[in-house]
């Protein structure tokens, strides 16, 4: 005799898989059930893996992706910043930024306090690095005392008082995404644009920000190497944001060359502080200011001058308060690697190419990144560049310095850099455009 106490499921996973396998369109009810059932454990990993592969091969239309994203948001909590108040008593606008990841991409660090200067709250929920792309939280954790984990109440209090917070996302935001992400990673379905877009946007929409600027990297050091696919991803995410009522724009930005002159953790914090002090590499400053302008415009602030706020110290003031609010000492000395090794320029000429992926892999191999999520990182490890493409170089001058606490890592790091630098005879190098396009 079988029990009838358990409620029957309204759909069968195999039927859902067949629909997408045969290039059909999943109904809103099928999508809602699939995400909910997978989160509950009713849909098995192997069944979701098959569905993910069908989505990779056959795609989803806009309505499917939007519903898939909404279902993932509904799997957990959704934050609400409507209690944040301006000095006049009105609701404080919120604006956030998401980068798809690159090499030397420390933009979040100066950007969050810069936008907060103008009265817009920045709830920046960030992650850790994996592989050759660095993680914002790993960088900030090189600051003595700084902590990434905040409760929702702590986050809200800091946003009200300081105006900016960079912290880890809580487990309650889009828990379905965490489960799906791990499965995609081991089943060859990471590249599916509907799944990438819904993964990113479910967390960002659940975060509750009023507006969002996406920095979609394209090039050798980016997740998306091809501009057409990067553009498709950007357009998909902008559409998802708009469907959810979040004012969303995207910038396509160049990641063939690392951003700035550092790739690592503490050394990227150091470079970010230089930008906040009114200096720093031109490309880091340019992208920070442009993203700030976009975030402020999305939040309804049109008369701001972010470049001036970097120059006059206002952004630095917010940075110091933001770091201190999370237990960090913004004036403490940052960790320094125990060992260093310099690679010298082999010939006179002009540096015409500097491969971002190779630099990112070198930093990772030196200990700045992790191969698995549970790995630890070295705060002081990384790569310091002495020249960027377009610079005149001379034989025997320093080209790059490798930093690590474990000198046995130098050999493999150097292997990754063997083809990273292209030096041509004296001449000019055509300028590469940092910001490729804007998508709104």
């Amino acid at each position: 005799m079988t029990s009838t106490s358990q409620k029957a499921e309204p759909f069968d996973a195999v039927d859902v898989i067949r629909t997408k396998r045969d290039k059909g369109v999943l109904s809103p009810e099928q999508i809602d059930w699939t995400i909910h059932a997978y989160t509950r454990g009713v849909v098995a990993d192997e069944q979701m893996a098959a569905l993910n592969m069908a989505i990779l091969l056959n795609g989803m239309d806009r309505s499917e992706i939007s519903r898939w994203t909404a279902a993932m948001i509904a799997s957990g909590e959704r934050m609400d910043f409507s209690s944040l108040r301006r000095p006049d008593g009105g609701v404080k606008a919120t604006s956030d930024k998401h980068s798809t990841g690159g090499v030397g991409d420390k933009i979040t660090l100066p950007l969050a306090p810069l936008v907060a200067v103008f009265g817009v709250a920045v709830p920046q929920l960030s992650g850790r690095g994996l592989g050759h792309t660095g993680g914002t939280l790993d960088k900030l954790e090189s600051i003595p005392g700084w902590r990434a984990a905040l409760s929702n109440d702590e986050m809200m209090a800091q946003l009200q008082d300081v105006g900016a917070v960079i912290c880890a996302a809580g487990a309650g935001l889009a828990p379905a995404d965490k489960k799906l992400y791990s499965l995609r990673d081991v089943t060859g379905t990471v590249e599916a644009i509907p799944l990438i877009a819904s993964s990113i946007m479910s967390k960002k929409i659940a975060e509750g920000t009023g507006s969002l600027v996406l920095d979609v990297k394209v090039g050798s050091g980016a997740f998306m190497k091809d501009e057409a696919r990067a553009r498709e991803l950007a357009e998909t995410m902008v559409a998802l944001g708009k469907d959810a009522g979040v004012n969303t724009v995207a910038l396509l930005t160049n990641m063939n060359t690392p951003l700035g002159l550092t790739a690592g953790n503490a050394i990227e914090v150091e470079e970010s502080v230089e930008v906040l002090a009114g200096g720093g590499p031109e490309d880091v400053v340019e992208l920070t200011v442009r993203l700030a302008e976009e975030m402020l415009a999305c939040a309804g602030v049109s008369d701001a001058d972010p470049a001036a706020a970097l120059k006059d110290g206002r952004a630095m003031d917010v940075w110091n308060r933001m770091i201190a609010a999370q237990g960090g000492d913004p004036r403490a000395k940052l960790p320094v690697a125990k060992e260093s090794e310099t690679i010298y320029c082999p010939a006179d000429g002009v540096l015409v190419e500097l491969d971002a992926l190779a630099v990112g892999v070198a930093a990772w191999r030196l200990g700045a990144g992790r191969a698995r999520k549970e790995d630890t990182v070295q705060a002081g490890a990384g790569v310091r560049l002495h020249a960027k493409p377009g610079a005149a170089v001379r034989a025997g001058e320093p080209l790059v310095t490798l930093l690590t606490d474990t000198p046995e890592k130098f050999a493999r790091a150097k292997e990754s850099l063997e083809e990273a630098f292209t030096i041509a005879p004296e001449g000019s190098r055509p300028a590469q455009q940092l910001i490729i396009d804007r998508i709104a």
Side-chain angles (χ1 to χ4, degrees), residues 108-118 122 164 166 276 314-320 322:
T108 293
L109 279 64
L111 179 62
L114 176 59
V115 172
V117 164
F118 299 96
V122 184
I166 304 173
L276 288 160
R314 283 177 289 165
M316 180 71 87
D317 289 343
V318 178
W319 162 265
N320 288 336
M322 181 181 75

Side-chain angles (χ1 to χ4, degrees), residues 245-386:
V246 178
N247 192 6
T248 307
V249 301
L251 298 182
L252 286 184
T253 65
N254 192 317
M255 189 32 70
N256 284 310
T257 299
L259 275 167
L261 294 168
T262 59
N265 295 307
I267 55 175
E268 289 197 45
V269 174
E270 177 187 281
E271 191 166 79
S272 299
V273 172
E274 291 174 4
V275 172
L276 288 160
E282 290 182 7
D283 56 350
V284 178
V285 174
E286 178 186 349
L287 187 53
T288 299
V289 169
R290 178 60 186 276
L291 287 168
E293 290 171 344
E294 293 287 352
M295 289 174 68
L296 291 166
C298 282
V301 178
S302 58
D303 57 350
D305 186 351
L310 286 177
K311 293 288 186 183
D312 63 21
R314 283 177 289 165
M316 180 71 87
D317 289 343
V318 178
W319 162 265
N320 288 336
R321 294 174 61 210
M322 181 181 75
I323 296 302
Q326 290 173 243
D329 181 354
R331 292 177 175 79
K333 289 185 178 180
L334 294 168
V336 176
K338 296 176 183 177
E339 305 288 340
S340 66
E341 185 167 328
T342 298
I343 297 173
Y344 295 92
C345 186
D348 292 353
V350 173
L351 180 61
V352 292
E353 288 185 14
L354 171 55
D355 183 66
L357 177 60
V359 173
V361 170
W364 168 48
R365 289 179 174 176
L366 289 164
R370 52 174 64 82
R372 301 171 303 169
K373 289 183 180 179
E374 60 268 26
D375 291 347
T376 58
V377 299
Q378 294 181 24
V383 175
R384 190 181 297 277
L385 305 170
H386 299 288

Side-chain angles (χ1 to χ4, degrees), residues 16-37:
V16 176
I17 294 165
R18 284 178 180 145
T19 299
K20 187 48 65 178
R21 180 199 68 187
D22 297 338
K23 301 183 180 180
V25 175
L26 300 178
S27 72
E29 295 77 16
Q30 283 179 311
I31 291 171
D32 291 348
W33 175 82
T34 299
I35 296 298
H36 185 50

Side-chain angles (χ1 to χ4, degrees), residues 16-145:
V16 176
I17 294 165
R18 284 178 180 145
T19 299
K20 187 48 65 178
R21 180 199 68 187
D22 297 338
K23 301 183 180 180
V25 175
L26 300 178
S27 72
E29 295 77 16
Q30 283 179 311
I31 291 171
D32 291 348
W33 175 82
T34 299
I35 296 298
H36 185 50
Y38 181 58
T39 306
R40 289 184 288 127
V42 172
V43 172
D45 278 346
E46 58 267 27
Q47 293 173 315
M48 185 58 85
L51 180 57
N52 285 350
M53 186 60 73
I55 291 169
L56 172 70
L57 297 175
N58 296 323
M60 282 179 150
D61 66 21
R62 176 170 174 172
S63 66
E64 287 179 290
I65 303 172
S66 183
R67 190 67 175 223
W68 187 276
T69 304
M72 292 207 296
I73 294 168
S75 72
E77 65 182 13
R78 186 164 181 171
M79 299 189 72
D80 180 4
F81 297 117
S82 60
S83 63
L84 296 176
R85 290 287 179 254
R86 301 192 309 259
D88 63 5
V91 176
K92 183 181 286 191
T94 54
S95 192
D96 191 12
K97 185 270 296 185
H98 176 80
S99 168
T100 56
V103 179
D105 184 9
K106 71 276 298 172
I107 301 298
T108 293
L109 279 64
L111 179 62
L114 176 59
V115 172
V117 164
F118 299 96
V120 173
V122 184
Q124 182 73 53
L125 302 185
S126 297
R128 303 187 185 281
L130 190 63
H132 78 278
T133 58
T136 298
L137 301 183
D138 297 323
K139 303 180 206 301
L140 286 167
E141 283 180 336
S142 67
I143 301 172

Side-chain angles (χ1 to χ4, degrees), residues 220-243:
S220 74
F223 181 71
M224 290 291 181
K225 317 291 185 191
D226 177 71
E227 184 176 329
R229 279 183 57 78
R231 187 178 298 277
E232 181 185 351
L233 175 61
E235 290 172 348
T236 301
M237 291 194 293
V238 167
L240 286 172
K242 290 180 176 179
D243 287 347

